[in-house]
Amino acid sequence: MIATAQMTPRTEEFLVEDTRLWVVRPRISGANVTGLGTLISGAYIGMEIGSSKEPKRDFVALETPPVVTGNAPGRFFVLKTSDLGSLDTGTPIFFRRLQVGQVASYVLDKDGKFFTVKVFVRAPYDQYVTANTRFWQASGIDLSLSASGLSVQTQSLLSILIGGIAFEAPATGAVLPVAEANTVFTLFSDRAEAFRPAARNPQTFVLIFNESVRGLVPGAPVEFRGVPIGEVAEVRAQVDLRTFEFSVPVTIHLDAQRLGVKVVGLKSQADYAAMRRKLFDSLVARGVRAQLRTGNLLTGSVMVAFDYFPARLRRPWTGRRRQCNCRPFRVSSRRWRRRSRVLSTSSTRCRSRKSATTCIRS
């Protein structure tokens, strides 16, 4: 639609290159309700006067009115996300649960893979946005159940109703300078993902399970004696046509150093790469095995846990019976006597150990 507007006298200088025009009508966007006066007076054209010196007479009206008009103190930043969620124009932005800005606009990229969200942070809170600041969606309520009890996290009642975005810089590390306007950041889905440490030395392994893996999904934690060392990457199924056995290969990514596990006696990263295979072989030789354990009783989710199982160690077969150098004594029970006659051997028990280890002598 093409509309022609007539300006009042001495307002021609307002029509410059960066002047913006839009139609004002009743609108509910995010936490903002605007244009209610037009229910009585009718729609009209709003204008934001630009600062350019170049005159202009043809304009394309904005589809939505700008969230920030005039010379409001603050800065714009750009966020990239693959899931828009409940975000909309006017969605509030929080810093330490204090509302400090709002979403100005959003658009789907041409390739259709990401959204570009433009946000405005008011002064003086824009000085807290640095190069390592993390942005995440703070919509709804974040519930977590741990050994210390039930934890409920939310930014505000407004974020529960209409959603929101929160940002914060890591508490540790060097203090970086303030980010420039229109700096591009990644918008994470939650706070835990935003502050997850970057990968340092990831390794990929495949575990074969012959049992049910119900409740195991990609992203489930991998722990070693209760300490997180990685996460599940993929869960699939396979059938061996030679033996007709069904098994479930589970691909895991281990990165213990990223999760805070300290490597003692490490001189250089090259030494760790050379010793990694020897470390894993040593752990397996000592009885380290993987098993599925319940991660959450409420949701039924499971996780992969590594632990020591010395009883499952298999001694290599040498082709002869294992000899025992301990002082034997003959078992007096009739059952063992009958068994010894059948085997033509004498069953003995080791006196030097507390456990009832039975030795067989030729």
Side-chain angles (χ1 to χ4, degrees):
M1 183 179 66
I2 300 177
T4 302
Q6 182 179 359
M7 305 293 293
T8 59
R10 295 190 299 272
T11 58
E12 294 85 356
E13 59 184 14
F14 297 160
L15 303 178
V16 292
E17 187 70 26
D18 54 350
T19 296
R20 297 189 293 178
L21 304 173
W22 64 91
V23 178
V24 179
R25 58 170 63 95
R27 186 185 303 273
I28 300 177
S29 177
N32 299 327
V33 179
T34 59
L36 293 180
T38 58
L39 295 175
I40 299 176
S41 62
Y44 60 90
I45 296 177
M47 180 175 64
E48 180 184 2
I49 303 174
S51 58
S52 176
K53 301 297 182 181
E54 296 293 330
K56 187 178 181 180
R57 293 295 181 268
D58 296 328
F59 296 91
V60 177
L62 302 177
E63 295 183 1
T64 58
V67 175
V68 182
T69 59
N71 297 323
R75 278 176 294 178
F76 288 94
F77 300 100
V78 179
L79 308 180
K80 288 286 188 178
T81 179
S82 59
D83 185 9
L84 193 63
S86 59
L87 300 182
D88 196 0
T89 303
T91 299
I93 298 177
F94 300 94
F95 175 71
R96 301 186 183 277
R97 292 187 172 86
L98 179 66
Q99 185 174 347
V100 298
Q102 53 189 331
V103 175
S105 62
Y106 61 88
V107 63
L108 180 65
D109 295 347
K110 293 183 178 180
D111 56 4
K113 296 181 178 180
F114 294 93
F115 286 92
T116 299
V117 183
K118 195 171 185 179
V119 300
F120 179 78
V121 180
R122 302 192 307 269
Y125 307 105
D126 57 343
Q127 63 179 331
Y128 301 116
V129 181
T130 60
N132 63 343
T133 295
R134 316 293 171 84
F135 288 82
W136 69 90
Q137 295 197 29
S139 305
I141 302 176
D142 185 11
L143 295 176
S144 61
L145 182 62
S146 62
S148 59
L150 180 64
S151 176
V152 181
Q153 298 289 335
T154 182
Q155 293 296 321
S156 68
L157 179 61
L158 185 62
S159 66
I160 298 177
L161 299 176
I162 64 174
I165 297 176
F167 70 89
E168 190 178 339
T172 59
V175 179
L176 300 180
V178 179
E180 298 292 335
N182 295 319
T183 302
V184 180
F185 295 92
T186 300
L187 180 61
F188 297 95
S189 59
D190 52 35
R191 192 179 190 278
E193 182 183 0
F195 285 93
R196 182 176 301 173
R200 296 186 57 182
N201 194 7
Q203 300 294 320
T204 302
F205 297 89
V206 177
L207 309 176
I208 305 298
F209 290 98
N210 296 323
E211 57 183 310
S212 174
V213 295
R214 183 181 181 88
L216 185 65
V217 295
V222 178
E223 297 183 354
F224 180 70
R225 288 198 160 184
V227 179
I229 60 174
E231 63 181 10
V232 176
E234 184 182 10
V235 180
R236 62 181 189 274
Q238 68 180 13
V239 177
D240 190 350
L241 296 181
R242 294 171 297 181
T243 60
F244 298 100
E245 292 184 353
F246 182 85
S247 60
V248 183
V250 177
T251 304
I252 62 174
H253 292 163
L254 301 185
D255 196 352
Q257 288 182 294
R258 185 193 72 173
L259 299 175
V261 177
K262 183 179 180 180
V263 180
V264 181
L266 180 64
K267 297 181 179 179
S268 64
Q269 196 66 25
D271 295 340
Y272 179 70
M275 294 292 293
R276 186 186 301 113
R277 183 64 184 180
K278 185 177 180 180
L279 173 62
F280 290 133
D281 291 343
S282 176
L283 292 175
V284 173
R286 294 180 182 181
V288 173
R289 299 293 185 270
Q291 66 174 183
L292 299 179
R293 293 181 181 176
T294 302
N296 193 310
L297 295 175
L298 297 178
T299 62
S301 61
V302 298
M303 64 180 183
V304 178
F306 285 89
D307 207 336
Y308 286 95
F309 298 93
R312 297 188 178 183
L313 291 177
R314 295 182 178 179
R315 297 181 176 87
W317 174 251
T318 60
R320 67 178 69 177
R321 292 187 178 93
R322 184 171 60 89
Q323 301 295 327
C324 180
N325 296 325
C326 62
R327 186 177 63 183
F329 71 94
R330 189 175 300 276
V331 180
S332 60
S333 65
R334 296 181 179 179
R335 177 184 176 186
W336 285 101
R337 287 179 181 177
R338 289 195 299 268
R339 183 178 178 184
S340 64
R341 296 192 190 98
V342 174
L343 296 177
S344 299
T345 61
S346 60
S347 299
T348 60
R349 184 167 297 180
C350 181
R351 294 179 180 270
S352 61
R353 301 181 182 177
K354 296 181 180 181
S355 60
T357 303
T358 301
C359 305
I360 298 178
R361 302 172 63 91
S362 301

